[in-house]
Each structure stands twice: as structure tokens, then as C-alpha cells.
């Protein structure tokens, strides 16, 4: 038996290995598809704006991709639960729900790795290498929050039919409506508090900040971190307490 | 030590008006194979899932290996292992991937996991296919992967919800052997099955449930006594007069143009003469659990009075 305190870490890595690495090794083509999709909006915005809009497009695409991985996690979890009964096996075992979730989220991240690397490289290219720690922190925060949200939502996606509806709704709320792809400046004053209430707004602002785009005067990095950490904790709590593990 | 001690357990699903399990109390002794039988929808899976900490009971208490299944689920989960009904392995993963990694997830070292995986895959005869992705395997082999995952662990209590569904007769026997090996190492098992020969072969104790309630229980010997006679004779129905047959015992319509008479040794000769006179095929054997089950469920019985006691 390995040291008990390290077992959850080992479990996370093994779950990610089984559902991510092994899967990819046998279906390498799927990596191509997941790698390409985050660039569609980037491409459109780049072309339409004649290249001017590239910073917002990069920030928005990165945030949207991470939202997408969280939602895909939710879909995978509900699929594993209903179609494979994998979750049944995990529930009736020493694996905790959080371990299960993080393992699968890690595997989701693995699928997104090529796109993430390209987008992150673009951020660093427009910003500087010194901002890499901030960039990594931004990515991890939003990835964690979205994964927890995805796990929570998985309970509401148990039927594949409303899964797609839930996914597109949340995607609109988190990645389309708030200033993720566009500047806070164009947001009417009355709507600003609303925009600040959405975690993805802050993720995008951080990325814009890293790339040297002026951010609103009433926003700061600390503010962005505070809101995002609050959401991360809230979503994890939601996932831990409200996501379907043991059914009732 | 009890493997499971359920007291007054009731389950009403949120979307349902009727309880799926109604006030069930039962005790599963450790080191034994305990079997739940019942028709489709009787509540077997519901009961198993509550004991295996997958589903909350609406009321009642369930203690599993000394721990409360609701409040001390974490302790319970360290000690159990399951084969879910209608589970499926992950498509891209091989039998080896499933079992070997699962054992490590449950805390085994690499080398222990390797040894146990090899032993179990050989025992269930899927070692030859250990490196084939599950999507290229037959339905029965996929089912064996799930059985192997559960049975390669060293949990103390195993929940097997229809573990041999879809397996060929040889494969089923391999699973039976694994189940018996598990028991001989001191492990406990809660089994559900629709195969009466399987239940007869394996069970130390059987509980039959219907519409969420226990309607019969006991060892196989005890349950056999539900049918007063000990012999059964199957005769093609053809032109036979059912009333004549009734004079020998209880008559059951087994479908497909066959009648089954539960009777005693003393009547076998007369019945065989009768069959020979009418030139009908017939077989004689002892009463099985299958008969007991159908008898208890009250299906197909033309006459359950015992004319000849
Ligand atoms: N998630 C659920 N929500 C509502 N009702 C359910 C749910 N699962 C099962 N039921 C109902 O509970 C009852 C018992 O179902 P259960 O699956 O426990 O039966 P079972 O004995 O395992 O049947 P089978 O032999 O077909 O597997 C059935 O009436 C079923 O429709
Ligand atoms: Mg069932």
C-alpha cells in the first residue's frame, strides 16, 4: 500500500491516465479535432477586424476553450454515469467524488493541451515571459472553477437531450454575453456590475492585462483574483455537496 | 459478524408513487453467498445499491460490515467492491488497462496489481484478449472485464448484480469458480441473478422479493419445501386430460405445449405408463429452485391443490 496521504494524488493521475492518456493513445485523431475547435472564433475575429482585434480574440478564445473543457467534463461525467455505470463502480469504492472529478478534469485538460499551448504561447508573445506565472494561475483558476461547475451540472445533463441545451446556455452566460471576447469599455455602465459578477470576465481581463491591453480603471488584478477564487471555492462546494454522487 | 444488517429499509424514488423497497429487514452473514431473487422490477438492484452506498434509503438503517451505510459510507466504501447491473467497460481500454489500473486506484502497488490482474484475467479466461480494446471484444467478454475489476480487489464484501448476464455456459462456470474462490478466502457476497441454476449452485441463503417485499427466504433445502412434492414430471400436453394429471399432484403449464406435474416417487410409474400409452415424451427429475421460484410467483399453476398427499 502506498502512503495513504498520497493515494488521492495517485488516484487522480491514474484516472486521468485511464480516461485521457490511454484514450488518446488509441484515438490520436480526436486530439486534432479538439485542438482545432477553439480557433474558429479567433480566426473569424482576426479576419473581420483585419488583425486589429487579435488580443481580445486570443483572450476570449482561451477563456471559451476552458469553459468548454469544463462543460465537456460535465457531459463526460454524465455519460460515464448513465452509459457505462463507471461512476457506480467509483462511488462504491474508496475514491472520493472530488478525486474522481479532478482526475477526469485533468484528462479533459490533456485533450485541450495542444490548443491551450498555442493560445497561451500567443498570450506570452503579445505579453512577456515574466507573465507566465500569472497566465498559468489564470488558466488554473478558471479550469478548476469550470470543472467543478461541469461536475455539478453533470447531474442535470443525465439525459443527453437536455445536455446540449444546458451546455449552450451556460456557454452563452459565461463566454458569449460577458466581455470575454470584447472590451469592458463597450459595456454600458449599468451592466458593468453584472459583467463583474461573472468569473470569466475577470479571466479575460487578466489575459488582456498580461497582453498589455489597458484594463478598466475600476478593475484590478487583486479584484480579479478575489472574484475568481471565490467562484472556484463556491463551485467546488457546489460540486462536493450538490453533484450527484450517492443518489437519493 | 454480519456483512449486512438491514433493518426496516424502505425506498421511495422521488419520481415514483409506490415504494421500490418496502420495509425490508434482512441479515447477511459474513463469509457467505447471499442471493436476492425476484422478477424484473422487484427491487433487487435498488436494495443492492442502497447497501453499496450508491443510493440513499428513504427510511430504515443499513449496516455494512459494522458501519452505517449512510453516515459512515467512507468506511464502507473501503471494504466493498461491485459489479453494477448493465455496466460497460470503457471502449478504448483493454481488459488489462481496466483491471490493472483499477487495482492501483484502490491502493495496490504496481507489482501487486500486476500479479492480481494476471491471476484474475486467467481465471476468467480473458488473458488472451488482455490487450484488445473493449470495443473489439464480444458482449460477454466486456461483462467479464467488469467482473474481473470487482473480483481482483481484496474487498471484504462483493456486490454482484446479475454478474453472469450474457455469458456462455463455460464462462458462467468460470465466474462461479471465481465466486467460490472469493468465498473460500473468507469474503462475503450479495448476488442477484435470474439464473436459478446459478443461485442453486452458489447460494448459502436466498431471499425472494416481490414488489419490494420479502416473500420467501431460506436455504435451498428450506425453499424446496415450499413445493410439497419432491419430483417433477414433464409431459407434452397434446391430448392429455389435465384433470387426470391433477390427480397426481400440482400441474403447471410451462408453456411451449408442455405440462409439469409436481408429484412423488410413488406416482412416477403410473405417469410414465400414461405417457407411454399416449406415445408422449416425458422427463422425470427432482424439483429445482426454478420450480420453487415459479411456484412462489404463482404463475402458470393450473391447480395447486394436492390431490394425492
Ligand atoms: N431511478 C429510478 N427512479 C424511479 N424509479 C426507479 C428507479 N430505478 C428503479 N426504479 C423502479 O423501482 C422498482 C425496482 O427496480 P429495480 O431496478 O430495483 O428492480 P430489479 O429487481 O433490479 O429488476 P431487474 O431484475 O429487471 O433488474 C421498479 O419499479 C423500477 O421501475
Ligand atoms: Mg436489477
Amino acid at each position: 500500500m502506498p502512503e495513504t496521504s498520497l493515494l488521492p494524488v495517485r488516484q487522480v493521475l491514474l484516472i486521468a491516465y485511464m480516461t485521457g492518456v490511454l484514450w488518446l493513445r488509441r484515438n490520436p485523431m480526436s486530439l486534432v479535432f479538439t485542438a482545432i475547435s477553439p480557433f474558429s472564433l479567433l480566426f473569424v475575429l482576426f479576419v473581420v477586424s483585419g488583425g486589429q482585434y487579435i488580443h481580445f480574440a486570443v483572450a476570449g478564445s482561451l477563456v471559451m476553450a476552458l469553459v468548454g473543457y469544463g462543460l465537456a467534463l460535465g457531459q463526460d461525467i454524465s455519460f460515464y454515469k448513465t452509459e457505462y455505470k463507471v461512476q457506480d463502480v467509483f462511488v462504491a469504492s474508496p475514491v472520493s467524488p472530488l478525486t474522481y472529478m479532478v482526475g477526469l478534469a485533468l484528462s479533459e485538460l490533456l485533450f485541450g493541451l495542444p490548443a491551450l499551448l498555442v493560445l497561451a504561447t500567443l498570450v506570452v508573445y503579445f505579453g512577456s515571459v515574466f507573465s507566465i506565472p500569472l497566465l498559468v494561475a489564470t488558466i488554473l483558476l478558471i479550469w478548476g472553477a469550470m470543472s467543478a461547475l461541469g461536475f455539478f451540472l453533470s447531474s442535470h445533463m443525465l439525459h443527453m437531450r437536455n445536455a446540449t441545451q444546458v451546455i449552450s446556455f451556460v456557454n452563452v452566460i459565461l463566454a458569449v454575453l460577458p466581455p470575454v471576447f470584447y472590451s469592458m469599455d463597450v459595456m454600458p455602465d449599468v451592466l458593468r456590475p453584472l459583467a463583474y459578477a461573472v468569473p470569466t470576465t475577470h479571466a479575460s481581463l487578466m489575459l488582456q492585462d498580461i497582453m498589455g491591453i489597458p484594463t478598466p480603471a475600476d478593475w484590478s488584478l487583486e479584484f480579479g483574483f478575489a472574484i475568481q477564487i471565490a467562484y472556484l471555492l463556491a463551485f467546488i462546494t457546489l460540486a462536493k455537496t450538490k453533484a450527484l454522487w450517492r443518489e437519493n | 459478524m454480519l456483512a449486512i444488517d438491514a433493518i426496516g429499509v424502505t425506498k421511495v424514488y422521488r419520481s415514483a408513487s409506490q415504494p421500490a423497497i418496502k420495509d425490508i429487514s434482512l441479515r447477511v452473514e459474513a463469509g457467505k453467498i447471499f442471493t436476492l431473487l425476484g422478477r424484473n422490477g422487484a427491487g433487487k438492484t435498488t436494495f443492492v445499491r442502497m447497501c453499496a452506498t450508491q443510493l440513499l434509503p428513504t427510511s430504515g438503517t443499513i449496516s455494512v460490515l459494522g458501519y452505517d451505510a449512510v453516515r459512515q459510507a467512507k468506511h464502507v466504501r473501503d471494504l466493498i467492491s461491485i459489479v453494477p447491473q448493465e455496466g460497460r467497460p470503457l471502449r478504448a481500454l483493454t481488459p488489462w488497462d481496466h483491471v490493472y489500473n483499477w487495482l492501483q486506484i484502490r491502493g495496490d502497488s504496481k507489482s501487486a496489481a500486476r500479479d492480481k490482474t494476471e491471476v484474475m484475467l486467467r481465471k476468467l479466461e480473458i488473458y488472451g484478449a488482455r490487450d484488445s480494446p473493449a470495443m473489439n471484444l464480444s458482449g460477454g467478454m466486456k461483462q467479464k472485464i467488469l467482473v474481473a475489476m470487482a473480483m481482483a480487489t481484496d474487498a471484504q464484501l462483493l456486490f454482484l448484480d446479475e454478474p453472469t448476464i450474457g455469458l456462455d455456459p463455460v464462462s458462467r462456470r468460470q465466474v462461479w469458480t471465481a465466486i467460490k474462490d472469493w468465498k473460500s478466502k473468507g469474503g462475503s457476497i450479495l448476488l442477484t441473478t435470474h439464473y436459478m441454476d446459478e443461485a442453486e449452485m452458489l447460494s448459502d441463503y436466498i431471499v425472494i422479493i416481490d414488489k419490494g417485499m420479502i416473500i420467501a427466504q431460506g436455504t435451498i433445502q428450506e425453499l424446496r419445501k415450499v413445493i410439497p412434492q419432491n419430483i417433477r414430471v414433464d409431459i407434452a400436453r397434446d391430448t392429455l386430460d389435465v384433470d387426470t394429471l391433477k390427480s397426481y399432484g400440482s400441474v403447471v403449464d410451462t408453456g411451449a405445449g408442455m405440462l409439469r406435474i409436481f408429484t412423488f416417487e410413488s406416482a412416477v410409474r403410473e405417469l410414465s405408463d400414461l405417457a407411454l400409452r399416449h406415445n408422449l415424451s416425458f422427463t422425470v427429475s427432482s424439483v429445482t429452485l426454478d420450480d420453487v421460484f415459479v411456484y412462489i410467483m404463482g404463475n402458470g399453476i393450473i391447480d395447486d391443490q394436492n390431490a394425492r398427499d
Side-chain angles (χ1 to χ4, degrees):
Chain A
M1 268 252 177
E3 212 177 303
T4 331
S5 57
L6 280 179
L7 186 57
V9 177
R10 197 158 164 250
Q11 289 171 333
V12 162
L13 295 175
L14 281 160
I15 292 169
Y17 175 72
M18 284 177 87
T19 57
V21 177
L22 285 177
W23 209 89
L24 279 176
R25 199 186 282 165
R26 310 236 162 81
N27 302 276
M29 275 309 282
S30 63
L31 204 56
V32 178
F33 300 126
T34 48
I36 288 174
S37 60
F39 295 100
S40 48
L41 259 176
L42 181 82
F43 175 76
V44 172
L45 290 173
F46 181 79
V47 172
V48 168
S49 71
Q52 296 213 325
Y53 215 70
I54 184 70
H55 302 91
F56 288 111
V58 168
S61 299
L62 186 49
V63 172
M64 195 186 227
L66 289 162
V67 170
Y69 303 145
L71 291 172
L73 172 72
Q75 206 170 12
D76 277 1
I77 286 178
S78 67
F79 200 64
Y80 281 152
K81 178 170 169 52
T82 49
E83 292 297 306
Y84 291 94
K85 305 279 162 78
V86 172
Q87 193 172 316
D88 275 27
V89 175
F90 275 92
V91 171
S93 87
V95 178
S96 80
L98 208 58
T99 303
Y100 181 70
M101 181 197 95
V102 177
L104 289 178
L106 203 61
S107 119
E108 217 68 58
L109 199 61
L110 201 70
F111 283 84
L113 212 54
L116 282 182
L117 281 177
V118 173
L119 289 167
T121 307
L122 285 173
V123 174
V124 173
Y125 170 76
F126 291 122
S128 81
V129 284
F130 300 110
S131 54
I132 289 178
L134 182 58
L135 172 64
V136 171
T138 309
I139 290 177
L140 288 180
L141 272 175
I142 206 74
W143 167 70
M146 291 304 118
S147 300
L149 178 66
F151 186 34
F152 165 69
L153 288 176
S154 71
S155 325
H156 306 279
M157 297 182 186
L158 290 180
H159 306 288
M160 281 302 135
R161 273 196 165 192
N162 60 32
T164 27
Q165 291 155 6
V166 172
I167 285 171
S168 55
F169 178 76
V170 175
N171 199 41
V172 166
I173 296 293
L174 289 177
V176 179
L177 291 181
V180 167
F181 273 95
Y182 60 91
S183 167
M184 193 69 165
D185 295 342
V186 298
M187 180 122 293
D189 279 350
V190 278
L191 290 179
R192 280 195 176 208
L194 221 56
Y196 281 139
V198 179
T200 39
T201 302
H202 300 276
S204 183
L205 282 170
M206 282 177 168
L207 297 172
Q208 293 167 28
D209 192 39
I210 292 170
M211 288 184 281
I213 307 270
T215 50
D218 56 359
W219 183 84
S220 68
L221 215 52
E222 292 76 20
F223 179 39
F225 264 114
I227 296 283
Q228 289 214 72
I229 289 170
Y231 266 103
L232 177 66
L233 296 177
F235 284 150
I236 286 179
T237 311
L238 209 56
K240 269 181 89 166
T241 56
K242 290 282 185 295
L244 218 52
W245 192 245
R246 170 164 24 192
E247 292 165 37
N248 53 30
Chain B
M1 174 78 169
L2 288 175
I4 299 173
D5 189 5
I7 304 168
V9 177
T10 293
K11 176 70 199 179
V12 187
Y13 284 105
R14 262 188 300 178
S15 58
S17 50
Q18 289 294 312
I21 291 289
K22 275 180 234 161
D23 193 26
I24 281 192
S25 297
L26 56 78
R27 294 149 77 88
V28 177
E29 267 179 69
K32 295 275 159 64
I33 301 175
F34 187 102
T35 305
L36 273 184
L37 301 178
R39 300 194 57 191
N40 295 127
K44 302 178 295 296
T45 299
T46 304
F47 187 77
V48 168
R49 295 185 81 234
M50 286 191 288
C51 295
T53 74
Q54 299 163 262
L55 181 67
L56 280 174
T58 308
S59 62
T61 58
I62 303 173
S63 136
V64 178
L65 297 161
Y67 296 105
D68 186 280
V70 175
R71 284 176 290 108
Q72 297 173 301
K74 206 178 147 4
H75 293 286
V76 174
R77 287 168 178 162
D78 283 341
L79 304 173
I80 63 173
S81 179
I82 67 153
V83 174
Q85 182 176 9
E86 291 182 332
R88 284 199 281 151
L90 299 177
R91 292 165 49 78
L93 269 55
T94 67
W96 183 273
D97 293 338
H98 278 92
V99 182
Y100 175 63
N101 290 297
W102 179 239
L103 290 176
Q104 290 186 69
I105 287 175
R106 289 195 60 125
D108 276 329
S109 68
K110 270 186 196 281
S111 64
R114 197 174 298 123
D115 294 345
K116 289 182 192 172
T117 304
E118 179 165 346
V119 168
M120 189 49 66
L121 293 186
R122 283 191 193 282
K123 198 182 270 184
L124 297 181
E125 218 181 271
I126 35 173
Y127 192 73
R130 66 186 177 281
D131 293 328
S132 306
M135 61 186 154
N136 299 341
L137 297 178
S138 73
M141 293 175 96
K142 288 184 191 145
Q143 178 65 16
K144 283 191 190 181
I145 294 180
L146 298 179
V147 173
M149 280 173 76
M151 298 200 77
T153 67
D154 37 37
Q156 291 180 28
L157 170 60
L158 192 57
F159 294 92
L160 301 173
D161 199 350
E162 301 191 27
T164 60
I165 192 139
L167 299 192
D168 68 60
V170 178
S171 298
R172 282 175 67 209
R173 280 166 178 74
Q174 289 162 352
V175 173
W176 295 352
T177 304
I179 290 176
K180 284 189 169 157
D181 290 353
W182 178 281
K183 179 184 154 183
S184 71
K185 282 186 282 181
S188 316
I189 291 176
L190 177 56
L191 170 77
T192 85
T193 182
H194 287 297
Y195 300 119
M196 296 300 139
D197 56 337
E198 182 166 300
E200 202 152 7
M201 187 75 74
L202 297 171
S203 317
D204 292 309
Y205 198 80
I206 294 176
V207 162
I208 302 181
I209 61 176
D210 192 41
K211 300 188 182 77
M213 289 182 290
I214 297 178
I215 54 168
Q217 60 182 311
T219 60
I220 302 209
Q221 289 73 20
E222 287 163 355
L223 285 174
R224 276 221 189 94
K225 294 195 187 121
V226 167
I227 297 181
Q229 303 88 342
N230 60 344
I231 296 285
R232 70 179 206 199
V233 178
D234 289 331
I235 303 187
R237 183 168 205 153
D238 203 53
T239 53
L240 279 184
D241 174 27
V242 174
D243 284 332
T244 315
L245 294 176
K246 276 184 195 168
S247 64
Y248 295 98
S250 308
V251 181
V252 170
D253 185 349
T254 53
M258 296 296 289
L259 290 175
R260 177 168 295 172
I261 303 113
F262 294 121
T263 186
F264 295 98
E265 281 98 341
S266 52
V268 170
R269 175 163 289 274
E270 275 184 53
L271 275 167
S272 63
D273 287 347
L274 182 76
L276 288 170
R277 266 204 312 281
H278 288 79
N279 204 13
L280 299 170
S281 69
F282 71 102
T283 49
V284 180
S285 57
S286 50
V287 167
T288 64
L289 186 59
D290 192 272
D291 299 317
V292 172
F293 184 83
V294 175
Y295 190 92
I296 289 174
M297 291 302 160
N299 272 11
I301 295 178
I302 296 174
D303 175 12
D304 55 11
Q305 294 169 41
N306 310 303
R308 268 197 173 203
D309 265 358

